[in-house]
Amino acid sequence: MKKLKYLVLTGVIISALASAVAQQTVRQKPLIIAEQGSFLVGGAKTTQPGSFVLTDALKPAGQTFHADHAYAFYQIPVKARKYPLVFLHGAGQSKKTWETTPDGREGFQNIFLRRGYSVYLLDQPRRGEAGKSAVPATITPTADEQFWFTQFRIGNYPEYFEGVQFPKDSASLEQFYRQMTPNTGSFDGNVIADAVSDLFDKIGGGILVTHSQGGGPGWTTAIKNDKVKAIVAYEPYSGFVFPKGELPEPIASAGLFGELKGVEIPLADFNRLAKVPIVVYYGDNIAKEPTKVWNKDHWRSGLEMARIWAATINKHGGDATVVHLPEIGIKGNTHFPFSDLNNMEIANLLSKWLKEKGLDK
């Protein structure tokens, strides 16, 4: 009996040790960072008329106000590749988009650090840690999280889409809801692009990675600044630009924001987009044909406009590709492919593209 107990206990210990070893094998190796920090970039400065009076210091007269800058947190790994990745978030988001996923896995920040890329995570002007706005705003607490669940194609609330690449536990969903970040001033794509362009002036050449609403300011940044060496856009919707005389008809949609329109710009500006490689990714559960299912139809119009836009860039000698993930066998992705359960597969896809374009040196 004692021998049996000993064997059982030994088996338990060996099993526990094997489990511990298995867990260690899936743990990531420590990241070695050569340099990290943060700074504010871009923005405007105003000065009130008059003179500052020390004994009446609460009066604005003669005082300055700095606003509309972007916030950048950066990390540079040992033996970094030539071009850093600059990450710009979308609507209602912040640099948190690219950090730890809602269920606690590594996001693109760490994934690409491990692959030797320096990373710059931005909070756009009037958002997050760049919240000092030059224009007034009222932030009203509004119950709208089930709208965002549906708009971002996690499912049609309260149901998750079948096979969706989003964790279905309540803790992850709460983390997702809590990462929503309000504007502290009205959205202004030109203000954002100016700040991001200033960032590229500061750091030199790099690859701009945008999400959703960040797509429009991303195109504008590349038009303003030739230090943008490539653009990677995840699910852009608004802000598609076209040369004068080539603006497509608006695309009707059952989405809650109505039809989707392009923006007309001078041909000389548009042609600057033809000088850099561009890739655009869209996830799953997007309608192929018009439908009354409003979230699927909203993103149908976005995908359709993106394809027209890419074709226009390529007609002008550019290199733009639109990738609809289900069409290449990657299923279930939401509006946030880079933080979905298969974000490593999504990262591998991007790494492959960067290598193909010679941007991984």
Side-chain angles (χ1 to χ4, degrees):
M1 183 64 72
K2 287 183 178 179
K3 186 175 181 180
L4 179 60
K5 287 183 178 179
Y6 174 78
L7 289 172
V8 171
L9 181 59
T10 302
V12 170
I13 293 172
I14 291 173
S15 177
L17 286 172
S19 177
V21 169
Q23 288 177 10
Q24 287 177 355
T25 60
V26 300
R27 286 183 189 141
Q28 296 282 8
K29 294 180 180 179
L31 275 167
I32 303 177
I33 305 298
E35 181 184 346
Q36 73 175 26
S38 61
F39 56 87
L40 291 309
V41 64
K45 171 188 172 183
T46 58
T47 304
Q48 288 294 308
S51 300
F52 174 70
V53 179
L54 183 60
T55 55
D56 202 2
L58 293 179
K59 284 191 174 180
Q63 300 204 51
T64 60
F65 187 81
H66 291 75
D68 288 353
H69 41 260
Y71 171 91
F73 173 77
Y74 69 93
Q75 291 177 298
I76 301 173
V78 174
K79 297 180 181 179
R81 298 179 191 266
K82 180 178 180 180
Y83 291 127
L85 301 179
V86 176
F87 292 97
L88 177 63
H89 58 78
Q93 299 293 308
S94 69
K95 66 184 183 302
K96 177 68 178 75
T97 286
W98 312 103
E99 298 174 350
T100 307
T101 67
D103 60 330
R105 292 170 295 109
E106 289 192 332
F108 268 26
Q109 174 190 14
N110 280 9
I111 290 172
F112 281 95
L113 272 173
R114 293 188 184 282
R115 298 182 183 189
Y117 292 92
S118 300
V119 298
Y120 288 77
L121 309 185
L122 303 185
D123 277 350
Q124 71 185 33
R126 306 175 185 174
R127 190 83 60 81
E129 294 192 68
K132 200 173 180 186
S133 170
V135 297
T138 300
I139 300 175
T140 304
T142 303
D144 60 0
E145 291 169 352
Q146 285 64 44
F147 157 72
W148 291 115
F149 178 104
T150 309
Q151 173 74 359
F152 291 157
R153 302 193 324 281
I154 297 171
N156 289 324
Y157 191 86
E159 300 298 326
Y160 288 82
F161 284 133
E162 183 179 355
V164 71
Q165 296 280 0
F166 188 91
K168 296 181 180 179
D169 61 287
S170 59
S172 295
L173 186 57
E174 180 164 336
Q175 285 289 308
F176 173 76
Y177 286 151
R178 290 189 182 279
Q179 78 179 47
M180 296 293 293
T181 307
N183 286 322
T184 56
S186 57
F187 175 86
D188 189 320
N190 287 321
V191 168
I192 296 166
D194 285 343
V196 179
S197 179
D198 285 347
L199 174 99
F200 277 91
D201 283 337
K202 181 179 176 68
I203 69 173
I207 300 157
L208 181 56
V209 184
T210 68
H211 178 225
S212 195
Q213 193 182 53
W219 322 136
T220 306
T221 300
I223 290 169
K224 289 175 177 288
N225 199 317
D226 62 7
K227 294 183 178 66
V228 178
K229 301 303 180 183
I231 304 174
V232 180
Y234 288 97
E235 298 221 347
Y237 183 78
S238 56
F240 286 105
V241 294
F242 293 87
K244 285 187 176 179
E246 298 182 52
L247 189 67
E249 290 295 317
I251 300 174
S253 169
L256 304 188
F257 300 99
E259 65 181 13
L260 176 58
K261 299 178 181 179
V263 179
E264 199 170 54
I265 63 173
L267 176 60
D269 288 346
F270 183 83
N271 280 339
R272 292 185 184 129
L273 293 174
K275 295 179 179 180
V276 297
I278 300 170
V279 64
V280 183
Y281 295 105
Y282 286 90
D284 207 343
N285 294 298
I286 297 174
K288 294 181 180 179
E289 303 292 339
T291 175
K292 292 182 180 180
V293 182
W294 58 264
N295 55 343
K296 291 188 175 186
D297 206 55
H298 173 91
W299 293 106
R300 174 195 59 80
S301 64
L303 176 56
E304 184 177 332
M305 184 68 81
R307 285 172 165 157
I308 297 170
W309 176 79
T312 307
I313 287 178
N314 294 338
K315 185 178 74 172
H316 286 267
D319 177 10
T321 304
V322 176
V323 179
H324 189 199
L325 296 173
E327 294 178 8
I328 61 170
I330 300 176
K331 304 291 183 65
N333 282 105
T334 72
H335 186 51
F336 294 78
F338 43 80
S339 62
D340 282 336
L341 292 170
N342 64 339
N343 69 338
M344 193 64 72
E345 185 177 18
I346 303 302
N348 291 343
L349 197 62
L350 175 53
S351 286
K352 181 181 177 183
W353 184 83
L354 292 171
K355 184 175 182 179
E356 288 171 352
K357 302 303 175 182
L359 298 166
D360 64 335
K361 308 302 182 186

